[in-house]
Amino acid sequence: MKALGKKLAGKTLLALSMAGMMAGAVHADDKVLHVYNWSDYIAPDTVAKFEKETGIKVVYDVFDSNETLEAKLLAGKSGYDIVVPSNNFLAKQIKAGVYQELDKSRLPNWKNLDEDLLKAVGDASDQGNKHAFPYMWGSIGIGYNPAKVKAALGIDKIDSWDVVFKPENIEKLKSCGVSFLDAPTEMIPAALHYLGKPTNSKDKADLKAAEDLFLKIRPSVAYFHSSKYISDLANGNICVAVGYSGDLEQSKTRAQEAGDKVKLAYSIPKEGAGTFYDMVAIPKDAENVEAAYKFMNYLLQPEVMAEITNAVRFPNGNKAATPLVDKEITSDPSIYPSADVKKQLYAISDLDAATLRLITRSWTKIKSGR
Amino acid sequence: MNMRKFKRRINRIIPNGRQLVIGVPFIWLFLFFMLPFFIVLKISFAEADVAIPPYTEIYTFAEQKLQLLLNLGNYAMLGDDELYIAAYLGSLKMAFISTVLCLLIGYPMAYAIASARKELQTVLVLLIMMPTWTAILIRVYAWMGILSNNGLLNGFLMSMGLIDEPLQILNTNLAVYIGVVYSYLPFMILPLYANLVKHDNSLLEAASDLGSSTFNSFWKITIPLSKNGIIAGCMLVFIPVVGEFVIPELLGGPETLMIGKVLWQEFFNNRDWPVASALAVVMLAILIVPIILFNRSQAKEMEGKE
């Protein structure tokens, strides 16, 4: 009897879901929103709550590099209604005519955004903030395993780029593993900054100096990758990772969840670090602009943004959200840096094609020795 | 009379069954090989641009004049920088060594399967094929778990007391060879098995009657007879490995330089689709020789059947 009941229930469910699918198919065009965001970059229930509130179905895809996103956008008809590029990539894509200008009258929650941040991002990559607003931002610093670093180097905490950029230091860390981001446009500026050169230098001599710096430490680098380090650091496969602040914070959380055997820390070195702003924008060829605006306005709500920051541990661009974020996060200087540290941060800027080619070529030489 | 003429004319235009059947693969090749290839060829003669799509159009049509503008700079660039040549050579070396390893491991396996009992053969062939039912990405990820510093292999060796420090295998060329040989072994074994299983045993018996040693018979009869199977297997491994991207990307380290990765960089990091296309066209040109070899051996195999 019980089994029969189960069977019946199953069949009813199946029939219901099929009916639902058919009904859904009719309105598929105006009721589906395609979002393309960074991996591990949203609270677990953000999308579900939006779906419940608006009845719009969200197809949520993720990428782990700006280059992947850009290739899709530049090919045209990416199929996405909302995308989240970093500000330096956004600048180039605006020039290529990828995005539509935002109608801010449709975004009443725009007022919640941090004015200073808007201006900084606007000056760097989108004059007047016509095309996008800042979602999250973060720094590119050093995540590490204090116990292993102490064993190898004899220091309690990392507070300087010397640890990874001085060959005699990184050599000692080689056995426990050091990783760098596989992102030339973010790593070369880090080296330039360390050497005291302008971070957006086009000077061949400067770029050569940055290349030489990397070539010297290259034999001690385990790998260059932009997402693998999150789990590798958490499970002890590597002990130092140069990476994105929020990713390294997540690594910390994952290590805690995995039984707290590995303890991790993140540091914005005292010399300063690069920052990135990830921007929410609507491509020109978006099919569901109406829903895209709704999603943007939803994301601009302080409560929603605070929840995302609590989950992903990146600071957001929403000033009204700051008081709603967990105290433990806002008081952590490695996530919400102090005013002094903020002064040392630099934005990563857009590069012209020739400089980009030089940097990519350098990067290949650094990685493969050719 | 007129009607018959008309019918004959119609029949000449409308393909008959035989032509239709032959036509399908040609249409397939045209749609999914020739057409994409010509698009890539076209882009390889364009210039990179900040636009959608990110390259210039190679022809303009204005005032009844069709102008074709071919930019050969992309190809010239490939010769200028030794990186590209090194990457091609790196890929060819990786493909060559992997093919040899696959042959050395695959031949005995194929031979063993072909000499097993008939019922057992089916099972063994199935066992060879079964792993390929799982997506390659997942299988390569599994290798990452096995080969990493904290992985199964190092854990096993350390618990046995054979090594004190973990062996660095992941993120080296060795890991790429392991991954490639593992992934492509079925493509070597299956054509070899298909060939070996057709061999006539009476030849070996005759040789043995005439006093030939087992090894001598194997070397002078089995190997030459399986030549076409060897060529087919080698090409099925060699050709795709040259363009392999996923395995070196996941298992390889910084020193792994292959053309797939360089192509990726041109495309994604430099936003230079034309140079990336030129690289792909040159790669195809390099692969044409082994592809022709493969086709020849296939044709011979067919003749042998008839």
Side-chain angles (χ1 to χ4, degrees):
Chain A
M1 187 59 213
K2 218 178 173 184
L4 184 72
K6 244 187 193 166
K7 232 182 202 171
L8 269 177
K11 274 196 178 153
T12 321
L13 262 180
L14 188 75
L16 274 176
S17 67
M18 272 172 78
M21 267 155 67
M22 277 183 230
V26 179
H27 297 287
D29 288 335
D30 54 315
K31 281 289 179 197
V32 178
L33 176 73
H34 292 262
V35 179
Y36 201 32
N37 195 359
W38 291 83
S39 52
D40 300 313
Y41 215 34
I42 201 158
D45 55 354
T46 311
V47 169
K49 278 186 183 163
F50 173 76
E51 286 181 326
K52 211 175 154 201
E53 213 178 284
T54 57
I56 295 167
K57 182 167 166 19
V58 177
V59 178
Y60 188 85
D61 293 337
V62 296
F63 55 88
D64 83 334
S65 81
N66 271 306
E67 284 83 1
T68 310
L69 166 66
E70 181 169 82
K72 287 201 183 189
L73 291 171
L74 291 184
K77 294 218 170 51
S78 64
Y80 292 106
D81 305 304
I82 292 272
V83 291
V84 190
S86 300
N87 63 304
N88 53 331
F89 279 78
L90 176 92
K92 173 79 74 182
Q93 289 152 10
I94 290 173
K95 271 181 224 155
V98 170
Y99 300 112
Q100 34 184 286
E101 274 197 29
L102 296 178
D103 174 3
K104 285 172 198 165
S105 66
R106 293 167 82 176
L107 297 169
N109 289 331
W110 183 276
K111 60 178 194 298
N112 296 326
L113 288 167
D114 183 335
E115 289 289 335
D116 296 339
L117 209 86
L118 272 179
K119 190 169 172 341
V121 177
D123 290 347
S125 35
D126 181 17
Q127 237 9 279
N129 304 104
K130 284 189 191 127
H131 301 89
F133 70 83
Y135 177 68
M136 302 271 167
W137 66 279
S139 50
I140 297 160
I142 306 175
Y144 61 104
N145 182 328
K148 284 196 178 180
V149 169
K150 182 152 172 82
L153 268 182
I155 52 170
D156 291 318
K157 63 175 189 156
I158 292 180
D159 64 350
S160 164
W161 286 106
D162 283 345
V163 172
V164 288
F165 279 142
K166 281 227 166 99
E168 63 266 29
N169 289 337
I170 194 174
E171 243 166 46
K172 291 179 193 147
L173 294 169
K174 189 186 175 182
S175 57
C176 68
V178 180
S179 86
F180 278 84
L181 288 176
D182 189 8
T185 49
E186 284 151 27
M187 289 293 95
I188 296 284
L192 286 169
H193 189 72
Y194 177 71
L195 294 168
K197 318 263 188 215
T199 55
N200 57 353
S201 179
K202 287 175 188 168
D203 187 350
K204 278 192 182 167
D206 288 356
L207 295 174
K208 184 82 184 71
E211 180 183 304
D212 288 343
L213 180 64
F214 268 112
L215 282 175
K216 264 187 237 142
I217 59 163
R218 151 76 180 78
S220 308
V221 177
Y223 62 78
F224 297 87
H225 200 278
S226 300
S227 58
K228 214 154 72 173
Y229 63 90
I230 304 177
S231 52
D232 278 352
L233 201 60
N235 61 29
N237 272 337
I238 57 170
C239 64
V240 173
V242 175
Y244 302 114
S245 51
D247 283 353
L248 290 163
E249 287 295 330
Q250 272 180 58
S251 197
K252 226 194 252 178
T253 322
R254 279 194 202 177
Q256 280 162 6
E257 284 166 5
D260 227 4
K261 269 179 276 174
V262 178
K263 294 244 190 269
L264 300 175
Y266 173 74
S267 146
I268 299 176
K270 58 175 191 266
E271 297 90 347
T275 49
F276 53 87
Y277 304 90
D278 290 322
M279 312 291 294
V280 186
I282 309 178
K284 261 188 190 148
D285 50 18
E287 278 179 15
N288 200 346
V289 178
E290 185 62 40
Y293 271 106
K294 274 188 191 151
F295 192 69
M296 273 188 159
N297 206 37
Y298 172 76
L299 283 182
L300 285 166
Q301 288 175 33
E303 302 78 22
V304 174
M305 221 53 219
E307 263 177 39
I308 299 177
T309 291
N310 286 340
V312 304
R313 305 175 78 86
F314 273 95
N316 59 56
N318 199 311
K319 202 169 196 178
T322 313
L324 304 171
V325 175
D326 289 348
K327 267 275 148 340
E328 172 244 336
I329 291 177
T330 43
S331 61
D332 185 341
S334 65
I335 304 178
Y336 278 82
S338 66
D340 286 347
V341 175
K342 258 189 176 169
K343 269 184 219 147
Q344 296 291 326
L345 302 177
Y346 57 88
I348 289 171
S349 46
D350 175 36
L351 298 165
D352 60 284
T355 313
L356 191 64
R357 180 166 278 287
L358 273 177
I359 286 184
T360 311
R361 183 64 188 89
S362 259
W363 196 244
T364 309
K365 189 168 178 193
I366 290 161
K367 286 199 297 178
S368 65
R370 311 259 188 159
Chain B
M1 185 66 192
N2 255 348
M3 201 57 195
R4 256 166 82 188
K5 237 185 193 170
F6 182 69
K7 259 192 184 164
R8 213 184 287 160
R9 223 171 250 173
I10 285 273
N11 277 343
R12 215 173 277 166
I13 300 166
I14 296 176
N16 58 28
R18 184 186 157 86
Q19 283 165 330
L20 256 179
V21 170
I22 297 172
V24 169
F26 277 98
I27 293 170
W28 176 272
L29 269 181
F30 177 78
L31 279 182
F32 299 110
F33 177 73
M34 290 305 276
L35 209 59
F37 174 72
F38 279 121
I39 293 172
V40 171
L41 191 67
K42 189 197 100 167
I43 298 175
S44 77
F45 286 115
E47 267 179 279
D49 193 12
V50 181
I52 305 176
Y55 51 86
T56 54
E57 199 51 80
I58 59 167
Y59 56 84
T60 48
F61 187 73
E63 292 166 15
Q64 286 153 349
K65 274 183 229 158
L66 178 70
Q67 279 189 317
L68 196 64
L69 195 71
L70 298 184
N71 173 24
L72 300 175
N74 302 322
Y75 288 94
M77 214 181 104
L78 300 188
D80 281 349
D81 195 335
E82 44 99 41
L83 166 76
Y84 302 111
I85 297 157
Y88 282 123
L89 291 178
S91 283
L92 289 174
K93 184 181 152 209
M94 176 70 65
F96 179 76
I97 295 178
S98 309
T99 308
V100 171
L101 289 174
C102 276
L103 184 62
L104 289 178
I105 302 168
Y107 200 98
M109 287 174 80
Y111 191 79
I113 297 173
S115 17
R117 277 180 296 119
K118 260 272 168 284
E119 315 87 74
L120 201 60
Q121 282 184 16
T122 328
V123 179
L124 290 173
V125 169
L126 199 69
L127 282 177
I128 296 290
M129 279 166 59
M130 216 128 68
T132 62
W133 295 353
T134 313
I136 176 137
L137 206 58
I138 293 170
R139 284 182 288 142
V140 175
Y141 257 96
W143 274 109
M144 288 168 72
I146 296 171
L147 299 175
S148 76
N149 282 2
N150 286 351
L152 289 174
L153 182 66
N154 275 317
F156 174 72
L157 290 177
M158 272 159 66
S159 72
M160 295 286 286
L162 292 171
I163 48 169
D164 301 323
E165 275 195 3
L167 295 173
Q168 180 64 46
I169 303 175
L170 189 63
N171 306 320
T172 65
N173 278 341
L174 178 62
V176 182
Y177 282 121
I178 293 174
V180 167
V181 169
Y182 163 77
S183 307
Y184 285 93
L185 200 54
F187 298 103
M188 179 64 86
I189 295 176
L190 292 177
L192 277 174
Y193 162 76
N195 178 293
L196 287 168
V197 80
K198 284 185 298 200
H199 287 196
D200 188 349
N201 257 336
S202 55
L203 287 174
L204 293 176
E205 281 160 18
S208 150
D209 286 349
L210 294 171
S212 165
S213 70
T214 320
F215 178 77
N216 192 47
S217 309
F218 174 75
W219 188 247
K220 289 199 171 144
I221 298 171
T222 311
I223 294 266
L225 277 177
S226 61
K227 197 183 97 194
N228 288 331
I230 294 174
I231 294 176
C234 286
M235 291 308 127
L236 280 180
V237 175
F238 185 85
I239 295 167
V241 174
V242 172
E244 184 58 58
F245 174 73
V246 172
I247 300 172
E249 176 68 9
L250 292 176
L251 299 178
E255 85 271 22
T256 313
L257 186 64
M258 288 180 71
I259 202 64
K261 180 67 189 172
V262 174
L263 226 152
W264 195 95
Q265 272 175 355
E266 285 300 335
F267 192 81
F268 290 95
N269 290 26
N270 286 343
R271 304 181 176 104
D272 200 333
W273 295 21
V275 169
S277 304
L279 270 169
V281 170
V282 172
M283 186 172 97
L284 192 80
I286 293 174
L287 285 179
I288 275 179
V289 175
I291 289 172
I292 290 175
L293 268 178
F294 174 65
N295 270 347
R296 273 227 191 123
S297 80
Q298 286 295 91
K300 268 191 193 158
E301 187 91 321
M302 298 290 239
E303 275 168 27
K305 252 185 203 165
E306 283 165 16

